[in-house]
Amino acid sequence: MTIRKDIGLAVKLVKDVAASRRAQKRLAGRLLGDGPLPLGRFKIAVYFADGAVNLYQMRQWYRPLAVLAETWPVIVLSRTGTGALPMSEECPVPVTYVRKVADLERVVDEQDIRIVFYVNQNARNFQMMRYPRCWHVFINHGESDKMYMVTNQIKAYDYAFVAGDAALARLDRVLWDYDFEKRAITIGRPQADHYSGLLPYVPDERQVVLYAPTWEGDRPTAAYGSIATHGVALATALLASPRHRLIYRPHPRSGVIDDAYGAANRRIVGLIKAANARDPAAHHIYDTGAELGWQLAAADVAIVDISAMVYDRLAAGKALLVTRPADPAAEIDTGGYLAACDWLDASAASSIVGTLDALAHDPEAEARLAVWVECYFGDATPGAATARFHAAVQHLMEEWERFDAVRP
């Protein structure tokens, strides 16, 4: 088993290197055609050191960044070819490829960057954080009660933009000697102001169910993924129901660690294909698109794992179920929404249709949801989070001016 795993890792490494070289070759020609960046134009940078597999972390910020760029010019600094290539084609703000530290230094020297955003905790973030004359701000790629959200690494940044009171309480439980009043700024969920997009189906009387599971995790304490434990059973039941339409959006990393998890993922995809062949009007969807928003807005009910998707959906203020991890080692933070959410156990996955019928007629569940939306995101009125995001940026720009005026 160990030898097989090592061979698999070696093959993956070779493929990753080959993909990176192909991306670099394509980018070289494209960047030569684009010409140099205009000097001193960009005030805000988004630093992204990952490749294509983690692009979902950037994609959810595309629209908020595009709106922000109307006031403060924004540029994305991509450290990998496999990340820079797709972003150069789809990101609404400029993207530059800074593979080497020398490339990064050139951009820093030529631009007037005052704020740098970080969407994850990649170790290579520190290659950017060594530059002192700008604010380094952790904006994360989601809001959740996963262990990732309470790491001490947040202290490495000058500031953190967090969703709301729940995030502050979560961090306060674990961080020592951290100035929350100054360094943690609540902005809500700006992405929720852009939950839109063209529907790939014609709405009808079917109840639309979004099933958006996370990946299997790289250790037992983070084994939140449900595809192998809940997914096949609930997909089978929903696809057999003439009253439901399934939107299946698995995490891009599904199956990268556990072959059985990947096999379950492929089985669900096959079940969707077969169901649509039987009844084309059902229009069930296997969704791997770059855009996340229309799914959250269109679904009548969402079924998600413990992940940022819980809170992406919570920001929409609409019904959801959370899958209970089958692995008893998986850590569950019961100090927040997960203490009051509606759980779906693996044993109940095959009875999902009845569960959804009961949830649709439960006014207590609806009232409970409204309370937690306020706790996690504050004012969820359309546009309110975007206003807070822009106000936070304005505040840091003013702070930059204040410090710049008194420092040599």
Side-chain angles (χ1 to χ4, degrees), residues 74-252:
V74 178
I75 189 168
V76 176
L77 308 177
S78 179
R79 299 300 307 279
T80 70
T82 56
L85 185 60
M87 282 195 292
S88 69
E89 298 171 342
E90 66 189 32
C91 186
V93 300
V95 177
T96 190
Y97 178 38
V98 284
R99 182 171 68 90
K100 298 178 291 185
V101 171
D103 300 327
L104 185 62
E105 289 184 342
R106 184 184 67 255
V107 173
V108 172
D109 288 341
E110 294 177 351
Q111 299 302 320
D112 185 21
I113 295 172
R114 303 182 178 191
I115 296 175
V116 183
F117 289 143
Y118 301 82
V119 299
N120 61 27
Q121 300 284 15
N122 190 296
R124 294 178 75 187
N125 288 2
F126 282 90
Q127 292 182 344
M128 183 70 203
M129 293 175 70
R130 68 191 182 92
Y131 297 104
R133 298 186 67 85
C134 51
W135 299 125
H136 298 274
V137 183
F138 185 57
I139 61 173
N140 213 334
H141 57 273
E143 159 70 354
S144 77
D145 287 315
K146 293 172 72 172
M147 295 180 299
Y148 184 89
M149 303 298 295
V150 291
T151 169
N152 200 58
Q153 290 166 301
I154 199 169
K155 291 182 179 178
Y157 304 89
D158 297 304
Y159 295 92
F161 288 176
V162 299
D165 291 343
L168 294 177
R170 185 189 311 120
L171 289 168
D172 188 47
R173 289 196 297 271
V174 298
L175 296 187
W176 292 357
D177 194 28
Y178 184 76
D179 189 346
F180 286 94
E181 185 173 348
K182 177 182 178 180
R183 299 177 63 185
I185 302 175
T186 57
I187 63 169
R189 183 72 174 156
Q191 294 90 331
D193 289 333
H194 306 278
Y195 283 175
S196 61
L198 296 176
L199 293 181
Y201 59 86
V202 177
D204 53 23
E205 70 282 357
R206 290 175 183 262
Q207 184 181 45
V208 179
V209 180
L210 170 64
Y211 176 42
T214 192
W215 66 305
E216 59 268 36
D218 57 0
R219 53 196 178 279
T221 55
Y224 302 122
S226 68
I227 291 177
T229 54
H230 300 61
V232 174
L234 74 84
T236 299
L238 289 171
L239 295 171
S241 169
R243 298 190 290 116
H244 295 87
R245 172 172 292 116
L246 175 63
I247 301 173
Y248 176 52
R249 184 182 174 87
H251 192 286

Side-chain angles (χ1 to χ4, degrees), residues 260-276:
Y261 200 89
N265 178 44
R266 292 189 294 273
R267 185 176 175 192
I268 294 173
V269 174
L271 290 171
I272 290 173
K273 184 177 180 180
N276 283 333

